[in-house]
Amino acid sequence: TYGGTRFDLGVGLAGSWFPNVKTYEMQQEKDSTRILQQAKQTYSPAFVGMFTTSYRNTRYTTFGFSIGMGVNLEDDKIQLDSFYIGPSIILGKYDRITITTGVTMKKVNILKQGYEIGSAYISKDNGKDFYTREYRAGAFLSLTYNLTKGVRDNIKDMKNLAF
């Protein structure tokens, strides 16, 4: 079938890039912790779930729009703190793969005001008390696999089994 709007749900991987979010290294000294800059930008991988809407057609490629959420592992904790939105290209007729790029919002570590790179401070928690967590915007690229293939047929089969 073609024409109308198609809704899909997919899971996959995303890579995010935050050009203005620095990463830091905490160097332990005798009685203090020194803050060192590790990188001028941050990269963050995540496992994502994406909801995609597209125009239904009979071709092997189509364009759509996706919105989703990401899960990542940070500081030995599973974090559900990244959100994605952007245009997509959907490849395939039956086993569909979606490539999406766009804007992401993620909670990242930001150096608190009053602390400077290169300076040493007394820390109670190996430098973790020098950070605050804030949402920042970045760019992302994701690759997801469509899980909603044949959902309509599965629902029809379940209805037949129930009656």
Side-chain angles (χ1 to χ4, degrees):
T1 47
Y2 64 94
T5 304
R6 178 182 174 99
F7 299 100
D8 291 314
L9 178 66
V11 294
L13 298 173
S16 300
W17 171 61
F18 300 89
N20 296 321
V21 177
K22 298 177 176 101
T23 55
Y24 304 97
E25 181 181 340
M26 300 300 162
Q27 182 180 38
Q28 300 295 19
E29 296 180 353
K30 273 186 183 179
D31 299 333
S32 62
T33 303
R34 184 170 302 279
I35 302 169
L36 302 174
Q37 182 175 315
Q38 193 173 24
K40 291 183 179 183
Q41 51 199 2
T42 299
Y43 299 97
S44 177
F47 180 73
V48 295
M50 297 291 255
F51 176 75
T52 303
T53 182
S54 62
Y55 181 73
R56 201 179 287 273
N57 67 33
T58 58
R59 288 179 270 148
Y60 281 97
T61 60
T62 188
F63 295 96
F65 189 77
S66 296
I67 187 167
M69 293 180 70
V71 176
N72 61 338
L73 185 65
E74 193 173 303
D75 296 329
D76 298 328
K77 294 179 188 171
I78 294 176
Q79 308 274 336
L80 181 66
D81 62 0
S82 50
F83 304 94
Y84 305 88
I85 189 167
S88 302
I89 184 165
I90 300 108
L91 306 171
K93 269 190 177 180
Y94 305 107
D95 288 323
R96 296 163 59 95
I97 292 179
T98 304
I99 301 169
T100 306
T101 187
V103 176
T104 181
M105 292 292 288
K106 179 179 176 6
K107 231 177 198 181
V108 293
N109 289 329
I110 303 295
L111 199 59
K112 289 180 181 176
Q113 276 192 314
Y115 294 104
E116 294 182 20
I117 297 169
S119 299
Y121 302 95
I122 296 173
S123 175
K124 298 173 188 152
D125 194 13
N126 293 330
K128 289 183 183 177
D129 49 340
F130 300 159
Y131 294 123
T132 185
R133 293 192 48 84
E134 296 178 4
Y135 277 100
R136 293 292 169 100
F140 79 95
L141 178 67
S142 72
L143 181 66
T144 55
Y145 178 76
N146 179 9
L147 298 176
T148 52
K149 177 187 132 198
V151 170
R152 184 177 292 161
D153 295 333
N154 293 342
I155 291 171
K156 286 179 186 175
D157 290 342
M158 288 188 334
K159 283 182 181 179
N160 291 335
L161 291 174
F163 297 107

